[in-house]
Amino acid sequence: MNILAALIPVFPLLGFAFIILNGKRLGERAPIVAVGASLISAVIALFAYTRVLATHTPLSWSFEWIAWGEGAIRMGVHIDGVGAVMLFMVTVVGTLIEIYAIGYMKGDYYYSRFFAYMSLFMAGMLGMVVADNMLLLFVSWEIMGLCSYFLIGFYTAKPSANAAGIKAFLTTRLGDVGLMMGIFLLWWTAGTINFEELGLVVPQLQMLGMDHLTLALTIAAVLIFVGTIGKSAQFPLHVWLPDAMEGPTPVSALIHAATMVAAGVFLVARTFMVFVNFPDALELVAVVGGFTALFAALIALTQTDIKRVLAYSTLSQLGYMVMALGLGAYAAGIFHLITHAFFKALLFMGAGAVIHGYHHVQDIRRMGGLRHSMPRTHISFLVATLAIAGCPLFSGFWSKDEILLAAFHGNRILWGVGTFTAFLTAFYMFRLYLLTFTGRQRDTAIRPHESPRVMTTPLLILAVFAFGIGFPGSPLMHFWVQGAIHPSYLPHTEHAVNLGIMGISTAAALLGFVLAVLMYGPSPKILPERVAAGFGKLYQLSLHKFYIDEIYQSVIIAPTVGLARLLFGFDQGAIDGSVNGTGRGVRLISGAARWLTAGNLQWYAITFLAGAVGLALIALRALAG
Amino acid sequence: MSYAEYLAAIGPEIALTIAALLVMSIDALWPRSVRAIPWIGIAGLLVTLAMLPMFRAERVAFSGLLVIDPLAVLFKVIALISVILVALLSISHRPLRGFHEGEYHTLLLFFAVGLMFLVGAAHLLMIYLALEMVSLAAYLLTGHLKLDPRSSEAALKYYLFGALCSGLFLYGASILFGLTGTLHLDGIAEAVRASGLSAALLAALVLMLIGLGFKIAMVPFHLWAPDAYEGAPTPITALLSVASKAGGFAVLLRVLAVAFPLEALDWQPMLWVLCVVTMSLGNVIAVRQGNIKRLLAYSSIAQAGYVLVGVVLMRQTPAGLPSAMIYLIAYLFMNIGAFAVVIVVSNALGSDKIEDYRGLARRAPLASASLAVFLVSLTGIPPLAGFIGKFYLFAATIDAHAYWLAVIMGVNSVVAAFYYFRVVRAMYLDAGKSEEPIGTARPLQVAVGVTLLGTFVIGVWPQPFLLFAAALPLGF
């Protein structure tokens, strides 16, 4: 069984190789391979995580990968509670999205290639989840980044898609460099990069109480967190995620909502032993998360592209998770990661169905009344909206409440920020829902239609999860999920359920809902234009995403390009001259040597003799010495 | 030990000899079965390979002429795998098609038999006999395309040099015999320890080094190699650059480690110089080559220089010998793989010029990708076999505090990257004259597949190979 667990990421990898090698022959049948590979992995994963969750004992398997003097590096898989719930989420959501993509991508010129990349991505994501050491995790992490780049720029004919792909690749690369340095520093300080061993070694190092060790580990934690900032699009490296919406919608759902962007959160949870005893590192994490949650929610208020609203909402929700980690409540953070994966994947797939059935229009100002023409999409989208807004009993309600509870006991300011963000979330999500599905269709030239069954069936399945997936982590089931993730998770005897906190967050969500209805409902009481005018500068700031892209353009990109131009001139003149000189030197020697070896037997014999004499001379020196 | 037991010790060699005779008789008696001949040969080689595990018990046979020890077994495996791959390459190499194939494959099998005796030989006379057997087969194979003047010229040059070198080797061996009164390597070691250093002993060492240096194309005894490599049928070029070299290394290791104890005679400085010169000159000259076979010829000279690093350090660090072995195994896969793709291209274009590789990626995407992988691996970039090989060689130099050697190796790797990537650039970035797709014959596909697999597996999971290589005790 344990060795089978190692095969979970292997099947999608084989699927990728098979599709990429037989693309032309497979054609329309490529999804069979991709979905089949994911299903096999899902079934194996099912056995793995049910066993881990039932027995509370991790599943691991490893082999000696490379021997190094006395020591050896082992390579393998380790599935504990966190890994188990992640496996469940990734295999279920991933497979459903691949099925959905069969319909969404139909007729695309690079149909089979799309499924090849999706399979490779699944291999990377599953590899990261089951990795038992930082190295394998990092390799999988990079595979995901590569797939993300390919898939964002999938519509190669669109210049904006290409630019977005490059932007995503370069921005996340900054985070990856941080992560890599963090791994090296950790390796150097703790002497291991195996998670289980780190769990034993790091607390011991901590107990030694040596300042330089504490400092090194804190820096390592911060560097690892830089990786999270890049991958999970936290402020200030968040700019790539909204642009990543240029990719096909199933990609946005899988990679840029449910799984890859959450990998940063998973990374912190995996390496939590490095963070847990270093308050400085933890505080940074919490503040970055809380800030991103609020900041992105403010931008989401004014966006009009259906996918961009969801993208900013993803940023905001990731901020929530990161904040939870920083507050030490990593079980709550992972729980929110899981519920978010389901409802946010559903939202994106619903948005994709809308775009698909609405002639590829993405501007919500031109939509309206789609609930009549797209009943199945509508109902699933509504469920997801209720879940993200924190409507009681829906999944998002339970997980968000856990985080806010942790914030209330950890940091009252962050609690305030979180609650306010919950209000904003409810508002912009209902704004989106109301503008898209209710009222009257504003662009009557378009004839909307419902998507095919292959797309709507996954939506309905996910809707069930988006509603119910919160219960296993709710007080109704004694926080079973959190207990599985974190064995020593206290069932909060004294503050397990704080009805006050729950009430306040519900009230915030309700307020957001009411405000949205008043502004965008069937009979608007408040005109959005008036509100926009009333907020003036603030409105402009939100609409222009706080000008972050423009600031980066003028502060970082333009000077860099200028410097590059300058250096290029210098390089052409001075450096290239000298390098070419060296090159020419080597070529000259090479040419001369080649001439000497051009097939003349006598010359060969002379060289030979000279070599023999040379050797003899060296030998004689040995004799003399 | 009875004679029957001696014969049992060389079971694999006997099996292979029978296979060779079988191929020869089938060719003579049923000329029409010529299509089957290579496959019978390959089957014989595979059976021999499968027999090796059963015949690996350590023993000394034929009164010390031959030994069966981990070193011999390891080299036999290397020799057989490379000959099998070369046989696969030969089936589809266009100039060899239908041109005395029975003769060709018989010679190939006898070459393998000679090689198996060579790597186990522990007696100077046996070494000489096996060396000659391997060499004679190699001369004939090099000149096999007798209608092609380049092939004949290559064979002639190779033969002339070979004759000179085996003369020098014999001269050295006879001096050694005169000094010590024995031809057994361990007997020689005892006598050398007793008598100590003398000018005659040094002369013997130098002469034998030249003879063996010729076999592994060590600079400055390499001059025959580029001509022979370019003129020989391409599968034979692969054979000379891998199997023949491996045989040379086996003898070099055995002679240096057993017959010349370091405390009596310090051969390290000599080998150090040879190693540095070999890798540097090989790499520098490769930069200017326009013919891919010549480029790979010089590259393989340089690669032998890297293997020598492990040999030089063999007594200073326990990591030395295993690192040389792991490099040799990695080199086997990546180098034969590269030659396999060269054959794919020359079958289609009839050319070995690098300029004809332009735009190859569009015409033969899989073959180009494979060649790129082999060249990247030869450069030593992870996660491929070549990286693991270089990594262990570097680790050995650091372990032995031979930092200068590490620096020189590093610089050489950079120079090598330049000319390997020139080929990759031609394939991927330059536009070609034609867009017509190039096909790959099935046996070549198998060979490329096997070598690719080897290159990747060693790169990603080297542990089993390391264990295999590290099974060699220092004094084997």
Side-chain angles (χ1 to χ4, degrees):
Chain A
M1 181 62 226
N2 292 16
I3 190 165
L4 266 182
L7 291 178
I8 294 172
V10 172
F11 286 102
L13 192 65
L14 292 176
F16 159 74
F18 189 77
I19 300 174
I20 209 85
L21 289 176
N22 298 294
K24 281 198 193 107
R25 233 173 303 160
L26 281 171
E28 295 277 293
R29 284 168 298 166
I32 302 174
V33 180
V35 174
S38 294
L39 274 177
I40 298 173
S41 291
V43 170
I44 302 174
L46 177 72
F47 285 110
Y49 59 72
T50 44
R51 208 179 87 174
V52 171
L53 293 176
T55 59
H56 292 283
T57 41
L59 200 75
S60 48
W61 175 81
S62 68
F63 64 92
E64 193 168 273
W65 177 57
I66 192 166
W68 185 322
E70 306 288 285
I73 306 175
R74 297 186 73 82
M75 191 51 74
V77 298
H78 181 78
I79 305 172
D80 54 6
V82 186
V85 295
M86 288 290 289
L87 263 187
F88 161 71
M89 183 275 281
V90 174
T91 49
V92 171
V93 175
T95 312
L96 285 174
I97 293 176
E98 281 183 343
I99 294 172
Y100 168 90
I102 297 175
Y104 189 87
M105 297 305 290
K106 201 160 198 71
D108 195 277
Y109 185 70
Y110 292 116
Y111 195 63
S112 72
R113 191 180 295 179
F114 178 83
F115 283 95
Y117 291 155
M118 289 289 262
S119 275
L120 183 60
F121 173 79
M122 285 295 280
M125 185 72 203
L126 291 168
M128 190 202 72
V129 171
V130 300
D132 78 341
N133 63 73
M134 293 289 261
L135 190 64
L136 185 56
L137 182 140
F138 187 71
V139 171
S140 310
W141 179 275
E142 289 298 319
I143 290 176
M144 290 195 290
L146 191 68
C147 290
S148 166
Y149 165 72
F150 283 148
L151 286 165
I152 293 171
F154 188 74
Y155 296 130
T156 40
K158 255 166 88 182
S160 60
N162 287 325
I166 293 170
K167 185 173 177 181
F169 196 69
L170 292 182
T171 315
T172 48
R173 191 76 32 247
L174 281 178
D176 293 354
V177 171
L179 173 58
M180 199 159 67
M181 295 198 304
I183 293 174
F184 285 140
L185 187 57
L186 201 58
W187 202 343
W188 183 63
T189 322
T192 174
I193 48 169
N194 178 290
F195 295 124
E196 262 182 302
E197 288 170 17
L198 279 174
L200 298 174
V201 172
V202 172
Q204 287 172 1
L205 292 178
Q206 167 73 9
M207 279 201 289
L208 291 178
M210 273 148 57
D211 283 344
H212 70 277
L213 277 181
T214 312
L215 184 67
L217 287 173
T218 306
I219 294 174
V222 171
L223 285 170
I224 290 172
F225 184 59
V226 171
T228 299
I229 291 180
K231 208 65 150 186
S232 291
Q234 296 296 292
F235 183 85
L237 294 184
H238 65 282
V239 289
W240 67 271
L241 187 58
D243 285 18
M245 298 302 131
E246 292 287 345
T249 306
V251 172
S252 312
L254 179 63
I255 301 183
H256 304 120
T259 54
M260 187 188 82
V261 288
V265 178
F266 176 75
L267 173 70
V268 176
R270 254 284 173 267
T271 51
F272 206 65
M273 65 295 241
V274 190
F275 288 86
V276 72
N277 290 318
F278 305 97
D280 299 340
L282 272 183
E283 194 160 335
L284 174 79
V285 173
V287 170
V288 168
F291 181 76
T292 308
L294 178 63
F295 172 81
L298 285 173
I299 297 177
L301 296 178
T302 57
Q303 300 301 310
T304 53
D305 180 312
I306 186 167
K307 283 178 77 181
R308 287 202 171 238
V309 177
L310 295 178
Y312 282 104
S313 147
T314 305
L315 286 180
S316 168
Q317 298 296 314
L318 288 168
Y320 255 109
M321 300 168 207
V322 170
M323 183 175 90
L325 296 173
L327 292 163
Y330 90 79
I334 294 288
F335 181 37
H336 193 58
L337 189 166
I338 302 291
T339 60
H340 172 259
F342 283 99
F343 61 66
K344 187 52 68 63
L346 178 53
L347 285 170
F348 267 109
M349 288 155 76
V354 168
I355 296 166
H356 187 77
Y358 206 66
H359 294 234
H360 292 273
V361 170
Q362 303 199 5
D363 190 336
I364 49 175
R365 286 170 301 186
R366 292 172 62 188
M367 296 176 185
L370 295 183
R371 69 196 154 118
H372 303 296
S373 48
M374 303 182 182
R376 285 190 296 272
T377 307
H378 164 248
I379 187 74
S380 59
F381 201 91
L382 179 61
V383 170
T385 306
L386 288 167
I388 189 174
C391 170
L393 299 183
F394 283 72
S395 61
F397 169 75
W398 302 113
S399 56
K400 196 180 285 185
D401 194 63
E402 280 288 293
I403 295 176
L404 290 176
L405 193 61
F408 186 76
H409 292 289
N411 185 328
R412 291 287 160 87
I413 299 170
L414 287 178
W415 173 71
V417 168
T419 308
F420 183 60
T421 305
F423 156 71
L424 294 176
T425 308
F427 172 73
Y428 69 71
M429 281 314 299
F430 277 105
R431 167 179 174 265
L432 179 67
Y433 167 75
L434 292 168
L435 281 175
T436 310
F437 289 100
T438 64
R440 227 183 266 148
Q441 193 179 330
R442 283 176 289 277
D443 188 340
T444 45
I446 297 171
R447 290 188 165 275
H449 63 84
E450 178 65 294
S451 300
R453 288 273 175 187
V454 70
M455 287 168 69
T456 52
T457 310
L459 286 182
L460 295 174
I461 298 174
L462 271 182
V464 175
F465 280 107
F467 170 68
I469 197 67
F471 286 114
S474 69
L476 305 175
M477 287 178 71
H478 303 287
F479 309 104
W480 181 80
V481 173
Q482 291 90 319
I485 293 169
H486 196 177
S488 57
Y489 188 84
L490 296 174
H492 301 301
T493 36
E494 77 274 27
H495 49 250
V497 187
N498 190 325
L499 287 176
I501 302 294
M502 220 177 244
I504 291 171
S505 69
T506 310
L510 194 65
L511 197 64
F513 168 68
V514 170
L515 191 60
V517 171
L518 287 177
M519 283 173 72
Y520 302 100
S523 48
K525 299 283 182 298
I526 311 169
L527 286 179
E529 292 77 20
R530 187 115 31 99
V531 179
F535 278 99
K537 286 245 167 60
L538 268 176
Y539 174 77
Q540 288 299 325
L541 271 180
S542 165
L543 190 64
H544 291 103
K545 307 146 205 166
F546 292 87
Y547 297 98
I548 298 288
D549 274 312
E550 286 78 2
I551 293 171
Y552 284 175
Q553 178 63 37
S554 57
V555 177
I556 299 172
I557 300 172
T560 308
V561 171
L563 188 68
R565 290 238 169 82
L566 195 77
L567 289 178
F568 183 65
F570 178 67
D571 185 74
Q572 289 279 297
I575 310 271
D576 249 33
S578 60
V579 170
N580 282 347
T582 316
R584 232 172 273 140
V586 170
R587 285 172 76 88
L588 215 64
I589 299 171
S590 178
R594 195 173 64 141
W595 177 77
L596 286 180
T597 58
N600 183 325
L601 264 186
Q602 283 87 336
W603 172 253
Y604 286 7
I606 290 171
T607 321
F608 208 92
L609 195 69
V613 171
L615 267 193
L617 282 177
I618 302 173
L620 280 177
R621 258 194 55 197
L623 189 66
Chain B
M1 212 184 258
S2 74
Y3 202 73
E5 277 174 85
Y6 284 159
L7 284 182
I10 55 166
E13 285 85 348
I14 293 174
L16 197 57
T17 311
I18 293 172
L21 293 171
L22 195 67
V23 167
M24 191 159 76
S25 352
I26 291 173
D27 180 47
L29 299 175
W30 295 282
R32 271 191 294 169
S33 59
V34 67
R35 284 265 143 263
I37 278 178
W39 298 108
I40 298 169
I42 289 173
L45 288 161
L46 282 171
V47 168
T48 313
L49 187 61
M51 283 171 78
L52 279 182
M54 289 174 271
F55 290 86
R56 63 161 182 222
E58 283 193 53
R59 60 166 111 195
V60 180
F62 299 104
S63 350
L65 286 180
L66 272 180
V67 292
I68 289 111
D69 59 5
L71 181 83
V73 175
L74 182 55
F75 270 104
K76 280 176 195 175
V77 172
I78 293 177
L80 286 172
I81 292 177
S82 47
V83 175
I84 292 170
L85 289 169
V86 167
L88 275 174
L89 301 189
S90 310
I91 296 171
S92 312
H93 186 45
R94 186 155 287 164
L96 287 171
R97 274 258 173 103
F99 190 80
H100 305 289
E101 278 185 84
E103 207 171 277
Y104 177 91
H105 283 276
T106 309
L107 284 171
L108 200 56
L109 292 179
F110 278 121
F111 176 90
V113 173
L115 210 50
M116 287 178 74
F117 280 114
L118 180 63
V119 300
H123 182 276
L124 286 177
L125 192 61
M126 189 64 209
I127 290 177
Y128 180 71
L129 286 174
L131 210 54
E132 283 303 285
M133 184 169 179
V134 171
S135 301
L136 288 173
Y139 305 145
L140 290 170
L141 286 167
T142 305
H144 184 75
L145 298 172
K146 50 193 164 202
L147 302 178
D148 180 351
R150 283 180 309 162
S151 179
S152 308
E153 185 195 332
L156 187 66
K157 276 186 183 159
Y158 186 22
Y159 170 70
L160 285 176
F161 263 90
L164 179 61
C165 288
S166 63
L168 292 176
F169 180 83
L170 264 189
Y171 192 20
S174 64
I175 293 176
L176 213 50
F177 181 64
L179 283 173
T180 61
T182 174
L183 287 168
H184 289 281
L185 292 182
D186 41 8
I188 293 172
E190 270 172 45
V192 165
R193 268 201 200 93
S195 69
L197 194 60
S198 67
L201 186 66
L202 273 174
L205 176 65
V206 168
L207 289 169
M208 290 174 75
L209 261 185
I210 295 174
L212 296 173
F214 159 80
K215 230 31 240 146
I216 54 180
M218 211 192 260
V219 175
F221 317 113
H222 69 287
L223 290 158
W224 60 279
D227 290 343
Y229 284 17
E230 190 186 351
T234 313
I236 297 308
T237 313
L239 187 76
L240 294 182
S241 71
V242 177
S244 180
K245 258 185 205 191
F249 270 113
V251 182
L252 184 69
L253 280 172
R254 211 179 276 284
V255 167
L256 286 179
V258 180
F260 293 97
L262 212 50
E263 63 269 21
L265 169 57
D266 186 9
W267 41 261
Q268 271 176 345
M270 245 186 281
L271 217 58
W272 200 97
V273 172
L274 286 172
C275 155
V276 169
V277 176
T278 301
M279 63 177 144
S280 308
L281 207 75
N283 277 326
V284 170
I285 302 182
V287 169
R288 281 290 285 267
Q289 298 306 316
N291 178 304
I292 187 113
K293 280 166 81 177
R294 276 189 95 84
L295 181 131
L296 287 173
Y298 282 108
S299 121
S300 80
I301 290 172
Q303 301 282 342
Y306 299 142
V307 180
L308 276 175
V309 170
V311 180
V312 172
L313 301 175
M314 134 172 104
R315 287 290 178 223
Q316 265 156 314
T317 158
L321 196 53
S323 65
M325 294 315 298
I326 195 85
Y327 199 89
L328 209 54
I329 296 172
Y331 170 73
L332 158 93
F333 287 107
M334 54 202 185
N335 214 46
I336 294 189
F339 277 112
V341 180
V342 169
I343 291 174
V344 171
V345 176
S346 80
N347 276 352
L349 308 181
S351 162
D352 294 323
K353 285 191 191 131
I354 294 171
E355 58 193 68
D356 290 326
Y357 280 66
R358 286 184 190 154
L360 194 67
R362 289 177 168 275
R363 307 179 67 180
L366 284 181
S368 306
S370 313
L371 183 55
V373 167
F374 296 129
L375 294 178
V376 166
S377 177
L378 282 165
T379 314
I381 290 173
L384 301 167
F387 165 73
I388 296 295
K390 284 231 173 78
F391 175 81
Y392 277 92
L393 284 176
F394 273 115
T397 56
I398 302 301
D399 202 38
H401 305 289
Y403 301 114
W404 273 111
L405 212 49
V407 171
I408 295 168
M409 221 169 100
V411 172
N412 264 296
S413 301
V414 176
V415 175
F418 175 72
Y419 64 81
Y420 289 131
F421 278 95
R422 208 162 54 107
V423 180
V424 177
R425 193 187 66 183
M427 291 193 298
Y428 279 89
L429 298 181
D430 296 347
K433 279 176 259 171
S434 157
E435 297 265 304
E436 193 191 336
I438 292 176
T440 306
R442 187 70 59 167
L444 283 173
Q445 285 177 358
V446 174
V448 172
V450 170
T451 47
L452 262 185
L453 197 69
T455 308
F456 271 111
V457 169
I458 297 174
V460 176
W461 189 30
Q463 191 59 14
F465 299 89
L466 285 173
L467 288 177
F468 190 49
L472 297 174
L474 196 52
F476 28 83

